[in-house]
Amino acid sequence: MGYYGNVVKGISWMSGFRMFTRVLSFLKTAVLARALTPSQFGIFGIATLVLAFLEMIAETGINIILIQSRRKIDEYISSAWMISIIRGIFISLFIIILLPLITSFFNTPNASNILLLISIVPFIRGFINPSEIKYQKDLKFHYEFWFRTAIFAFDAMVAIIFVTLTHSVYSLVWGLMAGALLEVALSFILVRPLPGLHINKNYFNEIFHKGKWVTAYGIFNYVPQKGDSLTVGKVMGVASLGIYEMAYSISTLPISEITDVVSKVVFPVYAKIVNDKKRLKAAFIKSTSIIAMLTIALGAILFLFPSQIVNVVLGDKWLSAIPVLRVLVVYGVLRAISGSASALFLGAGKQNYVTQMTFLRFAGLAITIYPLVRMFGLVGAGYSALISVLVEIPVIVHYVVKVLKK
C-alpha cells in the first residue's frame, strides 16, 4: 500500500480515536460543568496555564526529531529518555519554586494546593518510554489508537468518579495524574526497545541542536495559545478565566478534532516524501482541502448555534460565554486551516519556519491583548486571538510556496 493509502488508514484510525474521546469528553464536560463552578474551573485553568508554560519553555522536540530522523531511532532512545526525565524534574521543581509568584500574580492564594498537586504530573510524564513515538513514525496508527484511547479513557474515568464523589477541582488533577501513570506503564509494557540509564553524548548534543527551533516555537506558540487566558485571569479574575477557557475549548474544536488528527498522520508521511516535490505538493493540497472543508462545516455549526450548544453541554450558568464563543470560532477555523502548514514545515525539517510564523502570532497577540481586554472584556480577548492568526497567514503562504517549489 502506498503512502496515500497509509494516510487514509491513519486518518480513519485517528478520527475514530477523536470520535471516541469527544463522546467521552462531552460526558466529562457535562458532569464537571454541573459539579464545579466557573471559579473552580478558573483555579484549575491557572494551574494548567503554568504547567503548559513551563512545558513549552522546556520543550526539547524529541518526538519531532525522532520522526524526522533517517537513522534507526533505537539508537536515540536512552538519550531521549534521560533528557525527558531531566525535563520533567525541571518543570516540577519550577512550579514549586514559582508558587508564591504565581499566586501573587493572579491574586489567588487558594490556588497553592492545586499547583503543588499538578507539579507531580510532569515528573511522572518524564519517565514515559520515548519508543512510543514509533507507532507514529512507522505509520502504525491502529496501535496508536488503542494506546491513546486507553490513556484518555482512564484519565476521564478517574476525573468523573472523583468529581462526582467530592465536587472538588482536585479531581481534574487526579485524572491527569492517573493518565500519566498509565502511559508510563503501557509505554514499558507494550513498546520496544526499553530505554536505559545512560546517555550517548553525540545523540544528546544532536537532540539539543536540532531541538532549539522547536523550543523557540514552543515559547512563541504559548503566548498566542495561552496569553489571552493569562490576561483574562489577571485583569478580570478567575471566574471570567473559567468562562473564557470553556469558550476557547469549544471554539477550537476545528483545530483539535480535524487539523490535529490530519497533521499527526501526514507529518511522518511528509518526512518520508520530502524529496519528491510532486508527491509532496499533491499530498499537502489533498490534506489541506480536507481540513478546510471539514473545519468550515464544523465552525458554521458552532457559530450559528452557540446558545443551544452551551445550554446542552454546559448548562445555563455558562451562557455568558456565548459572545466570545462566536469570535473564537472564526479564530479556530482560520487557525485550523493555516495551521495545517506546520506539519509540512516539520516534515521538511524547517522548524525555523514554524518558529517564525508562531512568533508573528505571538507578536500580534502580545501587542493587542491587554488594550482589547480592557476595552471589550472577554470579547476583546477573542478579537486579539483573531488578529494574531490573521497576522501570520501571509507568512505561512510564503513559506508553503517556498517548500513546495521545485
Side-chain angles (χ1 to χ4, degrees):
M1 180 179 290
Y3 287 129
Y4 179 72
N6 286 325
V7 168
V8 172
K9 286 181 66 177
I11 290 175
S12 299
W13 277 107
M14 297 315 295
S15 296
F17 169 70
R18 286 292 184 175
M19 288 178 63
F20 171 81
T21 56
R22 282 312 103 189
V23 171
L24 200 55
S25 289
F26 180 87
L27 174 61
K28 178 181 173 182
T29 301
V31 173
L32 297 177
R34 285 163 173 78
L36 302 176
T37 66
S39 294
Q40 287 176 304
F41 267 100
I43 291 172
F44 177 70
I46 290 171
T48 53
L49 284 173
V50 173
L51 177 60
F53 175 65
L54 292 174
E55 286 185 328
M56 289 293 184
I57 288 178
E59 180 58 68
T60 59
I62 291 172
N63 288 349
I64 291 173
I65 293 164
L66 292 178
I67 290 175
Q68 289 175 339
S69 177
R70 300 291 175 131
R71 299 181 188 178
K72 192 175 181 181
I73 69 170
D74 294 17
E75 303 170 14
Y76 290 90
I77 293 303
S78 292
S79 298
W81 191 53
M82 292 303 297
I83 293 172
S84 179
I85 292 171
I86 294 168
R87 174 180 178 268
I89 294 171
F90 168 84
I91 295 170
S92 296
L93 289 176
F94 258 71
I95 292 176
I96 296 169
I97 292 169
L98 296 174
L99 188 59
L101 181 63
I102 297 165
T103 54
S104 174
F105 178 82
F106 289 104
N107 193 27
T108 52
N110 54 341
S112 297
N113 290 336
I114 197 168
L115 284 164
L116 285 172
L117 189 60
I118 209 169
S119 69
I120 302 172
V121 175
F123 177 78
I124 297 171
R125 288 175 178 168
F127 289 88
I128 294 169
N129 180 2
S131 295
E132 69 178 29
I133 197 62
K134 293 176 77 173
Y135 289 152
Q136 190 175 349
K137 181 178 176 67
D138 296 339
L139 308 181
K140 295 179 178 179
F141 291 102
H142 53 302
Y143 292 133
E144 179 84 357
F145 168 84
W146 294 111
F147 188 80
R148 296 293 162 196
T149 296
I151 295 166
F152 185 89
F154 192 59
D155 176 338
M157 181 183 69
V158 171
I160 290 172
I161 291 172
F162 272 86
V163 81
T164 303
L165 295 175
T166 67
H167 289 261
S168 170
V169 69
Y170 298 113
S171 306
L172 300 173
V173 184
W174 288 118
L176 291 176
M177 290 173 61
L181 285 168
L182 182 63
E183 184 168 1
V184 171
L186 292 179
S187 71
F188 276 83
I189 295 170
L190 301 177
V191 190
R192 294 293 182 271
L194 298 179
L197 291 171
H198 57 85
I199 294 178
N200 182 305
K201 185 178 179 181
N202 292 330
Y203 296 152
F204 188 89
N205 291 336
E206 183 180 348
I207 290 170
F208 268 103
H209 174 71
K210 290 183 176 180
K212 63 185 179 182
W213 287 109
V214 180
T215 303
Y217 156 72
I219 294 170
F220 292 138
N221 194 47
Y222 176 83
V223 173
Q225 282 191 338
K226 299 295 184 180
D228 44 358
S229 296
L230 282 169
T231 306
V232 168
K234 174 63 177 175
V235 175
M236 302 183 66
V238 292
S240 295
L241 173 61
I243 291 170
Y244 186 80
E245 285 278 282
M246 191 65 77
Y248 188 92
S249 65
I250 294 174
S251 65
T252 53
L253 284 174
I255 302 173
S256 61
E257 299 314 302
I258 299 169
T259 301
D260 286 357
V261 170
V262 177
S263 295
K264 189 169 186 177
V265 173
V266 297
F267 166 38
V269 173
Y270 290 156
K272 292 177 185 295
I273 64 174
V274 66
N275 293 322
D276 187 339
K277 297 298 182 181
K278 185 176 180 180
R279 292 180 72 189
L280 186 65
K281 182 178 179 180
F284 177 72
I285 290 173
K286 284 179 182 177
S287 63
T288 304
S289 299
I290 291 170
I291 288 171
M293 288 187 294
L294 295 177
T295 53
I296 290 172
L298 179 56
I301 294 171
L302 295 172
F303 187 86
L304 294 173
F305 306 104
S307 301
Q308 293 87 336
I309 292 169
V310 170
N311 258 320
V312 171
V313 178
L314 306 177
D316 55 11
K317 63 183 175 184
W318 296 91
L319 290 176
S320 54
I322 292 172
V324 69
L325 177 60
R326 284 182 179 273
V327 179
L328 288 173
V329 165
V330 180
Y331 158 81
V333 170
L334 292 177
R335 268 286 316 281
I337 298 171
S338 62
S340 64
S342 294
L344 174 68
F345 300 153
L346 293 174
K350 299 294 184 181
Q351 288 94 316
N352 55 321
Y353 289 0
V354 181
T355 302
Q356 290 169 40
M357 71 187 233
T358 51
F359 175 76
L360 286 174
R361 189 151 41 92
F362 156 84
L365 190 102
I367 293 169
T368 60
I369 182 63
Y370 185 77
L372 288 177
V373 169
R374 296 292 295 181
M375 285 189 290
F376 302 108
L378 290 181
V379 176
Y383 289 149
S384 181
L386 181 56
I387 290 170
S388 73
V389 74
L390 291 172
V391 167
E392 71 170 347
I393 287 176
V395 175
I396 292 173
V397 173
H398 168 72
Y399 282 139
V400 166
V401 172
K402 195 171 181 179
V403 169
L404 298 179
K405 194 174 181 180
K406 290 187 179 180

